């Protein structure tokens, strides 16, 4: 909003193609314009936004309530608005903090803006883990403010787009233009973070299984730990798949961005177990590969990238473990010229993110979530045989995509975690994991949300469910990763044991491989660039 109402926020209606609306409210000190485009994923029918109350309060809601409110098949945005108003009515005398009390009781990803008309105040926030995008820009001359799920290039007279900082809730007084920040914090009586602080407890190594031989250990003493992770993660997946409306019988509701690695294949297996089996509901496994001009390859193996091989192997494992489920392996092959054609568009989506690594990851996510490729029937027949039969082009149908973000940060999946353990032992590893969890809201989730949403799909992150984060935060570092084991075993050992329990015996031993290397989007044009180099330079 701004005092003179001069500039319209950017809109990309294809982000929410089902229903759109906008409202303009003239207040004594400011004019507020709110617009929303809805992707229907909750309730029996699309509900137009912005949502309004009888008193003229207005809510723009981009999120999912997965806990704290009994939503069922109702629209969670409508229920949240009622919850905010109920908190306001219960507080006597009114202290103006009803929005905070409402938000602290819900669980799930969100970005929101709420106009409290009587108080002439605008509240806005991302969830404490920053799983939804929300950007802000300010007008230099008047201090006018603009919020948007997507940004783009800066416009003359306005500041460059910046991520709204999480974890915090903001209140803008539209009469005085004062901005108050209310941070989430461990133990805070008003806004307590909905998960524990990462534990710095250590355990005696002799209590853990002998790390020799190098294979994953038998469950044994690990069994109760695996039980806890399975319970939390299964519940997180269930919450993210059960409420998605069935648009047409037999059409996929759920897709998984699928490299075949332990993170995504575990999510796929749990989704298969949680989706109903009384009728045929396919799950889409979207696997992306790029033509990289710096990789000398024959036309036959242009797309024989690492993630394609592990993806097809993972498909075979899922077919063996869940033979009653239809698996649609969507093979997305991206020619270099096609990547170039869309690269600038993707760069606009990720702003204010602006590094070479941001772009290489985002390009892979954008083409994967677009989901335009060909179906491969299974591991019995090679991809080359499938291509030789000229399979028709296929576009993924699922509106909800499960992604494995958050697993590496919490379960010590990165090389730097092994380094931290080598130099500082369990306490050093715990410190590195805590750092990752503390900054996860400010790093890449907003970027990833904008990229996936560009195709009218929603990214959901089961590893970042509040109950999963809380469970893992309370465990000693050595119960999440045991670096006495070699690479491909020790990191994320707890998740690997769960994957093996689910029957995924090959995937449970695969080492970590970043998407930009597995799909070959890294260093497509120059070997001299570094991931931290800025694109503007």
């Amino acid at each position: 909003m701004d005092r003179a109402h001069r500039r319209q926020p950017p809109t990309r209606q294809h982000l929410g193609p089902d229903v759109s609306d906008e409202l303009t409210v003239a207040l004594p000190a400011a004019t507020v314009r709110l617009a929303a485009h809805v992707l229907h994923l909750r309730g029996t029918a699309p509900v137009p936004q912005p949502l309004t109350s009888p008193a003229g309060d207005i809510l723009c809601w981009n999120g999912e309530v997965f806990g704290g409110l009994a939503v069922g098949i109702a629209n969670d945005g409508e229920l949240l608005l009622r919850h905010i108003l109920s908190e306001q009515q219960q507080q006597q005398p009114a202290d103006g903090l009803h929005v905070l009390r409402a938000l602290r009781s819900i669980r799930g990803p969100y970005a929101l803006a709420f106009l409290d008309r009587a108080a002439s105040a605008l509240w806005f926030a991302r969830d404490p883990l920053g799983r939804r995008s929300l950007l802000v820009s300010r007008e230099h001359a008047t201090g006018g403010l603009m919020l948007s799920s997507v940004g783009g290039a800066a416009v003359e007279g306005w500041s460059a787009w910046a991520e709204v900082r999480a974890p915090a809730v903001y209140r803008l007084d539209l009469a005085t233009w004062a901005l108050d920040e209310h941070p989430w914090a461990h133990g805070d009586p008003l806004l307590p973070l909905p998960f524990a602080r990462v534990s710095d407890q250590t355990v005696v190594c002799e209590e853990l299984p002998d790390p020799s031989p190098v294979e994953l250990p038998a469950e044994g003493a690990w069994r109760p730990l695996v039980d806890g992770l399975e319970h939390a993660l299964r519940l997180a997946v269930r919450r993210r798949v059960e409420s998605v409306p069935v648009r047409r019988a037999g059409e996929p509701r759920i897709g998984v961005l699928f490299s075949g690695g332990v993170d995504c294949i575990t999510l796929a297996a749990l989704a298969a177990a949680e989706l109903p089996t009384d009728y045929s509901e396919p799950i889409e496994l979207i696997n992306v590969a790029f033509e990289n001009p710096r990789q000398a390859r024959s036309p036959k193996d242009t797309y024989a990238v690492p993630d394609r091989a592990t993806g097809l192997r993972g498909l075979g494992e899922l077919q063996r473990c869940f033979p009653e489920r239809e698996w649609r392996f969507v093979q997305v092959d991206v020619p270099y010229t096609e990547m170039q054609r869309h690269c600038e568009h993707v760069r606009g989506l990720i702003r204010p993110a602006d590094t070479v690594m941001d772009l290489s990851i985002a390009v892979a996510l954008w083409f994967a979530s677009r989901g335009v490729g060909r179906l491969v029937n299974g591991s019995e027949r090679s991809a080359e045989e499938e291509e030789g039969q000229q399979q028709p082009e296929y576009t993924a149908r699922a509106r909800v995509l499960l992604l494995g973000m958050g697993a590496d940060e919490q379960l010590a999946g990165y090389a730097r975690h092994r380094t931290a353990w080598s130099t500082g032992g369990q306490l050093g590893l715990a410190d590195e994991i805590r750092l990752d969890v503390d900054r996860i809201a400010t790093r890449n989730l907003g970027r990833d949300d904008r990229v996936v949403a560009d195709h009218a799909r929603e990214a959901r992150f089961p590893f970042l469910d509040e109950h999963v984060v809380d469970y893992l935060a309370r465990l000693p570092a050595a119960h999440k990763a045991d670096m006495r084991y070699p690479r491909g075993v020790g990191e994320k050992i707890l998740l690997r044991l769960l994957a093996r329990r689910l029957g995924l015996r090959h995937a449970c031993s695969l080492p970590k491989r970043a998407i930009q290397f597995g799909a070959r989007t890294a260093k497509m044009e120059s070997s001299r660039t570094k991931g931290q180099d800025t694109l503007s330079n």
Side-chain angles (χ1 to χ4, degrees):
M1 79 294 304
D2 62 7
R3 293 185 172 104
H5 194 56
R6 283 187 287 275
R7 183 187 170 197
Q8 306 297 318
T11 59
R12 286 196 174 99
Q13 191 165 350
H14 60 279
L15 302 179
D18 295 320
V19 59
S20 301
D21 202 358
E22 63 180 70
L23 295 170
T24 300
V25 179
L27 298 173
T31 297
V32 182
R33 176 176 175 259
L34 302 104
H37 307 287
V38 176
L39 177 68
H40 174 221
L41 293 173
R42 297 294 284 265
T44 56
V47 174
Q49 289 199 42
L51 301 163
T52 59
S53 76
D57 300 311
I58 303 174
L59 174 66
C60 279
W61 167 253
N62 175 23
E64 304 289 343
V65 175
F66 290 133
L69 286 178
V71 177
I73 62 170
N75 181 274
D76 56 344
E78 291 182 312
L79 291 180
L80 177 61
L81 178 58
R82 293 177 202 164
H83 186 43
I84 293 173
L85 300 179
S86 174
E87 288 287 350
Q88 184 180 33
Q89 293 166 1
Q90 291 176 20
Q91 189 66 25
Q92 296 295 334
D95 61 4
L97 301 180
H98 50 287
V99 176
L100 303 182
R101 285 190 291 273
L103 293 181
R104 73 184 178 190
S105 66
I106 66 171
R107 302 292 180 264
Y110 60 81
L112 65 82
F114 174 72
L115 177 64
D116 184 341
R117 190 160 187 167
S120 191
L122 184 85
W123 295 85
F124 58 96
R126 301 163 69 195
D127 70 80
L129 286 165
R131 291 163 289 185
R132 287 287 173 267
S133 169
L134 190 61
L135 303 176
V136 62
S137 177
R138 300 297 297 258
E139 189 178 29
H140 299 310
T142 68
L145 177 142
M146 185 160 47
L147 299 166
S148 181
S149 296
V150 291
V155 174
E156 184 178 358
W158 289 75
S159 66
W161 289 102
E163 299 268 9
V164 170
R165 195 182 73 82
V169 181
Y170 298 87
R171 181 185 184 275
L172 179 66
D173 188 318
L174 299 175
T176 66
W177 231 238
L179 181 65
D180 295 326
E181 177 181 352
H182 301 272
W184 296 82
H186 292 293
D188 187 280
L190 186 59
L191 282 181
L193 281 167
F195 46 84
R197 184 175 183 267
V198 172
S199 171
D200 57 4
Q201 177 186 356
T202 61
V203 297
V204 180
C205 289
E206 285 75 9
E207 296 176 358
L208 299 173
D210 189 341
S212 179
V214 297
E215 290 82 7
L216 278 174
E219 278 198 8
W222 290 94
R223 181 168 290 112
L225 303 172
V226 180
D227 288 344
L229 177 59
E230 181 177 7
H231 174 75
L233 194 55
R234 189 180 291 274
L235 183 59
V237 171
R238 182 184 307 151
R239 288 174 173 142
R240 283 156 178 77
V241 303
E242 65 181 357
S243 62
V244 182
V246 177
R247 302 177 71 206
R248 283 179 286 276
E251 180 169 287
R253 293 184 291 162
I254 304 299
V256 182
L257 294 196
F258 192 73
S259 66
V262 66
D263 306 344
C264 61
I265 200 171
T266 301
L267 296 181
L270 292 175
E274 295 301 325
L275 285 170
T277 56
D278 55 348
Y279 63 92
S280 176
E281 180 172 348
I283 295 176
E284 292 173 329
L285 306 174
I286 306 174
N287 180 275
V288 65
F290 286 77
E291 176 190 13
N292 190 320
R294 297 189 62 252
Q295 302 285 335
R297 293 174 176 271
S298 67
K300 183 179 180 180
D301 63 1
T302 297
Y303 301 108
V305 302
D307 280 0
R308 179 60 45 78
T310 54
L312 287 169
R313 182 75 177 266
L315 169 63
E317 286 206 285
L318 290 169
Q319 290 173 325
R320 174 177 52 79
C321 295
F322 301 92
E324 76 287 353
R325 180 70 60 187
E326 179 188 350
W327 298 97
R328 294 187 183 177
F329 188 91
V330 186
Q331 178 176 290
V332 178
D333 294 337
V334 185
Y336 178 65
T337 54
E338 178 77 352
M339 187 281 298
Q340 286 183 307
R341 191 160 69 90
H342 295 282
C343 191
E344 194 58 33
H345 173 67
V346 176
R347 184 178 175 184
L349 286 174
I350 68 175
R351 291 190 180 102
D354 189 42
T355 70
V356 171
M357 182 181 294
D358 285 320
L359 185 60
S360 63
I361 293 172
V363 163
L365 287 177
W366 190 86
F367 278 99
S369 56
R370 186 175 71 160
V372 176
R374 301 183 189 279
L375 291 181
V376 172
N377 290 330
S379 56
E380 297 84 3
R381 304 166 66 190
S382 70
E384 289 79 7
E385 289 175 321
E386 297 280 356
E387 290 173 354
Q389 295 190 9
Q390 296 298 311
Q391 295 293 312
E393 187 174 83
Y394 176 88
T395 300
R397 272 72 160 171
R399 285 186 158 196
V400 169
L401 300 180
L402 302 182
L403 285 76
M405 281 69 169
D408 289 307
E409 288 83 355
Q410 298 179 84
L411 290 158
Y414 294 118
R416 66 174 180 272
H417 292 118
R418 188 170 288 275
T419 301
W421 176 82
S422 298
T423 57
Q426 292 184 43
L427 287 176
L429 179 57
D431 287 342
E432 191 69 21
I433 293 174
R434 185 182 304 110
L435 176 63
D436 276 346
V437 173
D438 288 346
R439 66 186 179 184
I440 198 167
T442 61
R443 298 199 78 190
N444 55 17
L445 294 177
R447 175 201 71 195
D448 297 344
D449 181 54
R450 292 190 292 277
V451 169
V452 174
D454 195 49
H455 303 294
R457 306 188 201 277
E458 182 169 280
R460 295 186 178 178
F461 311 107
F463 287 105
L464 292 174
D465 179 271
E466 287 88 345
H467 289 85
V468 175
V469 176
D470 185 64
Y471 174 72
L472 292 176
R474 294 176 186 275
L475 294 181
H479 287 167
K480 294 177 276 194
D482 189 344
M483 299 304 187
R484 298 176 301 160
Y485 288 87
R487 184 171 178 266
V489 180
E491 68 277 10
K492 299 191 286 191
I493 194 169
L494 188 58
L495 179 60
R496 296 179 189 281
L497 290 166
L498 173 57
R500 188 181 64 183
R501 175 186 284 188
L502 297 173
L504 308 169
R505 293 189 168 273
H506 174 70
C508 71
S509 61
L510 291 174
K512 162 70 180 177
R513 185 169 56 229
I515 187 173
Q516 66 268 32
F517 300 111
R520 294 271 166 82
T521 57
K523 299 184 182 296
M524 296 186 78
E525 295 178 339
S526 172
S527 62
R528 297 180 179 179
T529 58
K530 297 180 180 179
Q532 64 268 29
D533 291 345
T534 59
L535 297 169
S536 55
N537 291 332

